[in-house]
Amino acid sequence: MAKVIDGKAIADAMMNELAVRIESLKSDHRAPALAVVLVGSDAASEIYVRNKIRRCEQLGVRSIEHRLPETTQQSDLLGIITSLNNDEQIDGILVQMPLPTHIDEKRVLNAIRPDKDVDGFHPVNVGRLSLGEADAIAPCTPQGCVTLAKSVLGPDLSGKRVAIVGRSNIVGKPAAALFLAENCTVQMLHSKTESPQQLAAQADILVVAAGRAHLVDESWVKPGAVVIDVGINRVQQPTGSKLLGDVDFDSVTQVAAAVTPVPGGVGPMTIAYLLHNTFQCYLKSVG
Ligand code: GUN
């Protein structure tokens, strides 16, 4: 049976370390500050934003919440982003996705100052990451995937074969860039890939971010591989609604060396890296 990777424990350890560093700077500097913008009342977004804000408070990061109605005009949202961009007391800006359909997400993401873009979604940061620049702000979830893989395999991932299922801008593509920066051999698999199981079953590290509940079973997994499940799918079952990963945990655990659970795997790491990115922006700001 595979080891279950405890993402919550690893994230908690990271956040405890950050809290100590933030506390030690308190006497000489203002606290780090993160602005969180939520437009509308998407139920999942509400939960994510609440968790992010709660964690900020626990770590001594000031959170500034902007809750805007569903009907907010794009120009008003852009105005708020401009004022947050110009506010020297704000280190990071996060606009929770998805936005209502009358708002152009690309326009909004492009408006965030790249040095406050704690999600790492701005084209400047995407470009820096793809150039392999060490100080690029990288997206949170993919950074969590690399750290979880290292928690099993050790800090040197050089030469490992990585397969990534899913090619999204927020997980698949940046995960590829980060594993490449670790000198891994990276293969992207997606909905048009022929025989994805066969290709996935060659990987030492399998990252699944496809957004399809239980897509991946043991037939996709090389014996002894590390499997990172990024999926969060809410499905209705006779017993009520349940969160399922993109990985069929009970099947994969028969062959893998280690698997992340859902929940308690990648999710807590995303928040830990949001706070990590906010702290990095703060350090650049307060010098
Ligand atoms: N919606 C779902 N995941 C994310 C994320 O990582 N950042 C933002 N801003 N919105 C999201």
Side-chain angles (χ1 to χ4, degrees):
M1 290 288 263
K3 166 189 156 76
V4 180
I5 304 172
D6 189 345
K8 185 172 179 311
I10 297 166
D12 281 347
M14 264 183 74
M15 289 192 278
N16 287 340
E17 207 173 297
L18 270 175
V20 170
R21 294 184 68 191
I22 290 167
E23 177 68 27
S24 74
L25 290 168
K26 216 166 98 179
S27 53
D28 294 327
H29 302 284
R30 64 169 174 81
L34 173 66
V36 179
V37 183
L38 174 62
V39 186
S41 51
D42 177 76
S45 292
E46 294 262 7
I47 295 170
Y48 294 146
V49 163
R50 204 179 316 136
N51 282 337
K52 288 170 186 177
I53 287 169
R54 185 172 52 89
R55 283 300 190 175
C56 282
E57 282 164 10
Q58 286 172 356
L59 264 70
V61 171
R62 192 164 73 91
S63 63
I64 299 91
E65 211 180 335
H66 287 265
R67 283 176 168 270
L68 307 172
E70 184 85 24
T71 51
T72 301
Q73 293 297 311
Q74 177 168 297
S75 54
D76 292 336
L77 177 57
L78 291 173
I80 288 171
I81 291 173
T82 302
S83 71
L84 294 170
N85 281 343
N86 294 332
D87 188 338
E88 295 303 321
Q89 307 294 314
I90 302 275
D91 302 297
I93 303 169
L94 179 148
V95 180
Q96 186 67 28
M97 301 293 154
L99 289 169
T101 49
H102 67 277
I103 295 179
D104 180 355
E105 286 187 351
K106 213 157 102 183
R107 272 288 296 281
V108 171
L109 292 178
N110 288 3
I112 297 171
R113 239 173 78 170
D115 59 348
K116 295 189 178 189
D117 168 36
V118 286
D119 268 321
F121 295 163
H122 190 285
V124 164
N125 287 318
V126 176
R128 282 189 184 139
L129 179 63
S130 88
L131 290 167
E133 292 180 13
D135 66 346
I137 305 179
C140 304
T141 302
Q143 289 194 80
C145 294
V146 173
T147 298
L148 291 173
K150 287 183 175 179
S151 77
V152 181
L153 298 169
D156 182 11
L157 300 180
S158 182
K160 297 291 182 200
R161 297 182 72 144
V162 179
I164 298 168
V165 186
R167 52 178 155 170
S168 70
N169 291 333
I170 63 173
V171 185
K173 285 183 211 165
L178 288 172
F179 280 107
L180 194 56
E182 297 288 338
N183 300 313
C184 296
T185 303
V186 179
Q187 186 163 48
M188 299 295 296
L189 311 178
H190 51 79
S191 55
K192 301 288 187 287
T193 302
E194 281 182 25
S195 310
Q197 287 102 322
Q198 280 174 32
L199 297 170
Q202 294 170 20
D204 305 304
I205 301 166
L206 178 58
V207 177
V208 192
R212 284 181 52 190
H214 284 191
L215 172 71
V216 165
D217 64 16
E218 64 186 293
S219 69
W220 295 61
V221 178
K222 178 167 116 171
V226 175
V227 180
I228 313 282
D229 186 356
V230 183
I232 307 177
N233 307 282
R234 188 165 287 282
V235 294
Q236 298 300 328
Q237 295 196 326
T239 47
S241 98
K242 202 177 170 198
L243 281 188
L244 294 183
D246 289 357
V247 170
D248 181 345
F249 185 91
D250 293 339
S251 167
V252 163
T253 197
Q254 305 296 325
V255 288
V259 193
T260 63
V262 176
V266 172
M269 296 299 290
T270 297
I271 298 191
Y273 272 102
L274 171 65
L275 289 150
H276 167 89
N277 283 354
T278 303
F279 185 64
Q280 294 302 315
C281 294
Y282 166 75
L283 286 181
K284 282 197 185 124
S285 167
V286 301

